[in-house]
Amino acid sequence: MVVDNAAVNYTIRDGVAVITLNNPPVNGLGLSTRTGIVEGLARANSDAAVTAIVITGAGKAFSGGADITEFNTPKATQEPTLHTVIKEVEKSVKPVVAAIHSVAMGGGLELALGAHYRVAAPGAQIALPEVKLGILPGAGGTQRLPRAIGLEPALNMIVSGAPVPSEKLAKSGLFDAMIEGDLLTEAVAFARKAADKQGPHPLVRNRKIEHANAEGFLQFSRNTVGAMSKNYPAPVKCIDAIAAGVKEGFEKGLAFERDCFVELVQTPESRALRHAFFGERAASKIPDVPSSTPVRDIQKVAVIGAGTMGGGITMNFLNAGVPVTLLETKQEALDRGLATIRKNYEAQVKKGKLTQEKAEARMALISPTLSYDDLKQADLIIEAVFEELGVKEQVFKRLDEVAKQGAILASNTSTLDVDKIAAFTKRPQDVVGLHFFSPANVMKLLEVVRGKDTAKDVLATVMQVAKKIRKTAVVSGVCDGFIGNRMIEQYVRQALYMLEEGALPAQVDRAIEKFGFAMGPFRMSDLAGNDIGWAIRKRRYQEKPDLKYSKIADRLCETGRFGQKTGAGWYDYKAGERNALPSKLVDDMIVAYSKEAGVERRKISDDEIVERLVFALVNEGAKILEEGIASKASDIDMVYLTGYGFPLWRGGPMLYADTVGLYNVARSIRRYAAQPNGDAWEIAQSLADKADNGGTFN
Ligand code: 3H9
């Protein structure tokens, strides 16, 4: 017999009712799924022919938890809530067995914890990952998990949100049986046996939490976790909820947990983290490239250039088990590149992050070469040579001669025109930009630059490759600087203007770091090398002679202060140290510059610094959206969260602007436009329109 609710199937097997969650992609516990479970339980309990109940999930998950898209909508609180569902499970007179496979996370695990028995297949990912969304398990997880597996392991799982493979939990008290064979068959057999036992069937809520010094442990955890999660309220709340259950018992703990959930789900931090969760997934979808687009087979990769970038790019593929042919022009450069890669792996071995064997296996995947002929077999070729159009021209013309038909030819350019690069070949459809960020083996972001002729299957393929090498890939159209660097230019422009007007580097950096950026613009520039920005500005002065830019950074560069690498930049550095020490010399130079420029220096508040830096990003981001360079605001946010150190808990510049209110953003921009140096503030039309209409970017 089969009775279907939209998101739940109900069948009977050997006298056991099988309630199968069927809400793809991950059996999220949305309203219809919850309703289906409650209906299934009622049906099974009123059917005399049914002796027991199994709850399981169809497809690739038991359940990925509450349906996050329902949060802060009426559906989230509509009955039956997950609390009600779990109560009904616990109340069931006939034993309920949760049959877990693939994924049991968040509310999915909480549902299973309400069941009388749990059986699991090996290899399932078990987690309470709510903390990663800025919330806490809100359907009893903080109360039942410590009762199931013990206080310390439960607290670790809840506070980290990290998944644990089911086999590692085999003896934890969470599962009644691990099942190697067919999960459903064995779960039904288990349920039939359970039905033979005299009731009442066991409930996790009735177990005791045993710990020699629970109070001491919880206080210690609170201190440690509190110090590590400064801008995130959820982790400490998790501990508070666990502590409430330990101290005051299950029911009071549950009520406290519920209150904390309601509070946290409305915080800007949770909104930001959920935005990042969906933003990451949305970034992989390109509006006019359907998921059914065929992809090219990428087995062999080649990288041209064994410098810092080329080496880092190579490591990504080695780490994913993909062989790489690494090309250089001179043996010496090739040897140096290989030695650096080896050194990086050795460092990981030393830290215990990698075994020596694995390091050797990865090194063995490199085929070093000095000959373009060795690139003939490569399916994907990425160049990371000197950032100069003439050099790229030579490389791509040569590639056009040697690369096999259908090979993808990628440039790691960060500023050059990908269409011009594509035009050096007779196959522009196969050319794409793959802009990695330094250090390329570490940074998550990959800007995929779509040329005007780039084929859709090339895009679909590189997005898949990005996933394989664990990058967050965001598609950008062709423009100067693409998404990330085009925006950062406006941010840096404001930072320099503020020096001219009255601020000093340390104040600017301090203000924006307090806002949450990993590093302020001047410390960042000293790290990257001030000469890099100088070279770009020199090009700009020629290309856009009308663009006004403070010359203060050029002054600094003229004195040879290129940053950490020269031991002096915006800051002073002691030999061998990276601490940025405010420089009297530079500060005097800045003050003198203002005087020369006829600017009367004024006190600039930290609030103004933050607004001008962040709104400069937002305004340029809006223009990037208008021009279709980015297809959605969340793509811009992902670029900034994964590549530019924007604070995750603020969700990226565009979400931050939405949070502040676009009316307020536009008002500030117009105010700055009326001040000296206001020419940098031409407001984006779309931003102005949204501000007028009460719109948002996200
Ligand atoms: C919770 O449970 C609260 C409770 O404690 C209390 C309630 C009162 N909801 O990651 P993928 C979508 S909070 C809605 O690419 P994978 C995802 O957006 C929840 N949608 O697949 C994507 O959609 P699309 C606690 C969800 O195989 C698609 O599924 N749970 C949810 O690499 C595929 O996702 C979590 O935090 C959801 N819960 O990984 C788990 N989950 O195709 C979060 C996924 O349109 N999820 N989607 O882009 C994950 O960690 C991974 O998705 C998972 C699968 C490991 C499950």
Side-chain angles (χ1 to χ4, degrees):
M1 177 177 56
V2 182
V3 179
D4 284 343
N5 151 298
V8 171
N9 299 341
Y10 180 94
T11 54
I12 294 185
R13 209 163 138 170
D14 293 341
V16 173
V18 179
I19 297 174
T20 306
L21 316 186
N22 189 8
N23 183 19
V26 299
N27 297 325
L29 295 162
L31 180 61
S32 55
T33 316
R34 302 194 305 264
T35 308
I37 300 171
V38 171
E39 285 172 0
L41 289 167
R43 188 176 188 94
N45 273 298
S46 62
D47 184 346
V50 167
T51 57
I53 300 159
V54 167
I55 300 181
T56 192
K60 62 174 196 174
F62 171 77
S63 169
D67 184 344
I68 310 167
T69 59
E70 279 188 0
F71 284 6
N72 298 327
T73 72
K75 275 189 178 176
T77 46
Q78 208 167 315
E79 289 289 353
T81 63
L82 193 50
H83 271 273
T84 307
V85 176
I86 295 170
K87 257 192 206 152
E88 291 302 314
V89 170
E90 286 185 326
K91 256 173 42 192
S92 170
V93 180
K94 298 176 185 174
V96 180
V97 180
I100 294 167
H101 65 91
S102 312
V103 167
M105 289 191 178
L109 179 57
E110 292 174 299
L111 172 67
L113 281 163
H116 303 111
Y117 305 97
R118 282 152 300 281
V119 299
Q125 298 183 66
I126 310 295
L128 288 177
E130 285 85 344
V131 76
K132 293 184 184 169
L133 302 172
I135 52 176
L136 87 178
T142 63
Q143 305 306 306
R144 290 191 183 86
L145 195 64
R147 286 173 167 77
I149 67 172
L151 181 60
E152 293 195 20
L155 187 137
N156 284 339
M157 276 182 74
I158 293 168
V159 167
S160 71
V164 181
S166 51
E167 59 274 20
K168 280 208 169 157
L169 292 164
K171 296 196 169 71
S172 67
L174 182 59
F175 304 124
D176 297 279
M178 291 298 294
I179 291 180
E180 296 282 346
D182 181 65
L183 178 68
L184 192 55
T185 308
E186 306 240 356
V188 166
F190 186 99
R192 281 169 66 89
K193 270 196 207 143
D196 291 340
K197 289 185 195 152
Q198 293 298 312
H201 297 284
L203 290 176
V204 172
R205 62 154 68 210
N206 292 335
R207 295 192 204 170
K208 294 235 159 354
I209 299 176
E210 315 273 5
H211 195 282
N213 178 10
E215 208 169 309
F217 169 70
L218 287 164
Q219 191 50 48
F220 170 77
S221 306
R222 202 179 270 117
N223 293 343
T224 328
V225 170
M228 281 165 63
S229 56
K230 258 190 346 218
N231 298 307
Y232 299 87
V236 167
K237 284 279 179 204
C238 290
I239 300 178
D240 289 346
I242 296 171
V246 169
K247 209 167 159 200
E248 302 184 58
F250 183 85
E251 284 299 344
K252 287 215 168 121
L254 201 62
F256 183 77
E257 177 199 86
R258 181 83 210 139
D259 291 346
C260 293
F261 181 88
V262 171
E263 186 187 318
L264 286 173
V265 82
Q266 292 173 43
T267 56
E269 291 82 3
S270 173
R271 184 179 177 212
L273 290 170
R274 280 180 277 134
H275 174 68
F277 176 83
F278 286 117
E280 171 149 24
R281 282 150 185 85
S284 66
K285 299 182 179 76
I286 310 167
D288 64 333
V289 181
S291 56
S292 56
T293 307
V295 290
R296 301 186 189 181
D297 191 24
I298 305 294
Q299 299 286 341
K300 292 187 180 142
V301 170
V303 174
I304 305 178
T308 313
M309 269 331 265
I313 294 170
T314 299
M315 286 179 74
N316 285 296
F317 290 96
L318 306 179
N319 297 349
V322 180
V324 178
T325 303
L326 183 58
L327 177 100
E328 255 298 349
T329 46
K330 296 212 170 70
Q331 187 65 43
E332 198 192 340
L334 193 53
D335 291 343
R336 213 180 314 121
L338 288 171
T340 306
I341 297 176
R342 178 169 283 286
K343 207 176 90 198
N344 286 339
Y345 282 133
E346 296 293 346
Q348 290 182 22
V349 171
K350 250 190 209 142
K351 284 185 199 149
K353 288 185 178 165
L354 194 70
T355 63
Q356 188 67 42
E357 270 164 292
K358 278 201 178 146
E360 293 304 334
R362 288 180 191 182
M363 287 305 294
L365 288 171
I366 312 181
S367 308
T369 183
L370 298 172
S371 165
Y372 271 85
D373 286 340
D374 289 331
L375 307 189
K376 278 184 181 149
Q377 296 308 316
D379 304 304
L380 165 66
I381 306 175
I382 306 170
E383 69 73 17
V385 300
F386 191 66
E387 187 74 347
E388 213 254 306
L389 202 61
V391 182
K392 306 281 185 194
E393 177 173 3
Q394 283 173 18
V395 169
F396 275 82
K397 285 196 163 149
R398 190 79 184 92
L399 281 182
D400 202 17
E401 289 164 13
V402 297
K404 67 177 181 186
Q405 279 311 305
I408 295 176
L409 311 181
S411 171
N412 177 51
T413 181
S414 56
T415 45
L416 299 174
D417 184 335
V418 171
D419 290 330
K420 281 190 188 154
I421 294 176
F424 298 139
T425 72
K426 288 186 273 316
R427 37 174 134 175
Q429 74 281 0
D430 294 338
V431 177
V432 67
L434 289 183
H435 179 208
F436 288 82
F437 288 72
S438 189
N441 52 320
V442 177
M443 295 293 286
K444 282 284 283 175
L445 178 60
L446 177 64
E447 268 183 330
V448 171
V449 187
R450 176 180 193 168
K452 68 177 169 36
D453 295 319
T454 306
K456 289 186 180 179
D457 67 331
V458 167
L459 280 171
T461 306
V462 296
M463 294 310 274
Q464 195 184 59
V465 168
K467 207 167 185 184
K468 182 160 190 180
I469 61 172
R470 295 162 171 267
K471 296 289 175 200
T472 301
V474 177
V475 176
S476 168
V478 174
C479 67
D480 199 343
F482 314 130
I483 298 173
N485 283 345
R486 173 169 159 183
M487 286 167 66
I488 210 75
E489 189 178 341
Q490 296 306 322
Y491 164 100
V492 171
R493 207 171 158 203
Q494 285 303 318
L496 295 175
Y497 277 149
M498 285 190 277
L499 294 190
E500 218 175 277
E501 293 167 30
L504 291 172
Q507 188 204 354
V508 174
D509 283 349
R510 211 182 321 112
I512 197 72
E513 285 165 16
K514 212 165 128 215
F515 173 81
F517 263 82
M519 219 183 256
F522 297 107
R523 285 213 298 139
M524 184 52 136
S525 189
D526 272 1
L527 178 68
N530 295 320
D531 49 330
I532 295 176
W534 196 23
I536 295 174
R537 285 193 302 279
K538 281 183 193 158
R539 180 157 62 82
R540 278 284 180 294
Y541 298 147
Q542 301 206 327
E543 286 170 3
K544 298 184 191 167
D546 297 339
L547 185 76
K548 219 182 115 201
Y549 222 97
S550 170
K551 298 279 190 308
I552 206 158
D554 300 351
R555 278 289 165 83
L556 182 85
C557 290
E558 282 156 15
T559 68
R561 295 182 70 108
F562 292 161
Q564 288 191 17
K565 62 184 170 191
T566 56
W570 292 106
Y571 296 93
D572 291 335
Y573 297 89
K574 283 193 184 144
E577 288 183 21
R578 287 166 176 267
N579 277 349
L581 308 167
S583 164
K584 168 115 185 17
L585 194 136
V586 172
D587 293 354
D588 288 348
M589 185 200 88
I590 292 168
V591 174
Y593 180 92
S594 304
K595 197 167 175 193
E596 225 178 273
V599 178
E600 189 166 339
R601 292 178 67 81
R602 64 183 172 91
K603 186 173 166 14
I604 298 185
S605 71
D606 285 3
D607 287 347
E608 177 174 342
I609 291 172
V610 169
E611 272 206 352
R612 284 175 64 175
L613 294 182
V614 178
F615 292 175
L617 294 176
V618 172
N619 197 35
E620 197 64 21
K623 291 178 187 172
I624 281 173
L625 279 172
E626 280 168 25
E627 293 167 27
I629 297 295
S631 64
K632 46 200 171 307
S634 64
D635 280 1
I636 295 177
D637 287 336
M638 290 320 295
V639 166
Y640 268 77
L641 293 176
T642 56
Y644 290 82
F646 200 96
L648 177 59
W649 46 281
R650 295 196 190 269
M654 307 316 272
L655 185 80
Y656 177 72
D658 285 345
T659 311
V660 172
L662 298 189
Y663 176 85
N664 296 321
V665 175
R667 205 162 87 119
S668 291
I669 288 179
R670 290 194 173 108
R671 187 157 41 84
Y672 295 130
Q675 285 182 8
N677 293 323
D679 51 332
W681 287 109
E682 192 189 329
I683 191 164
Q685 191 55 49
S686 59
L687 171 54
D689 292 346
K690 283 181 198 299
D692 284 346
N693 308 328
T696 54
F697 288 119
N698 287 284

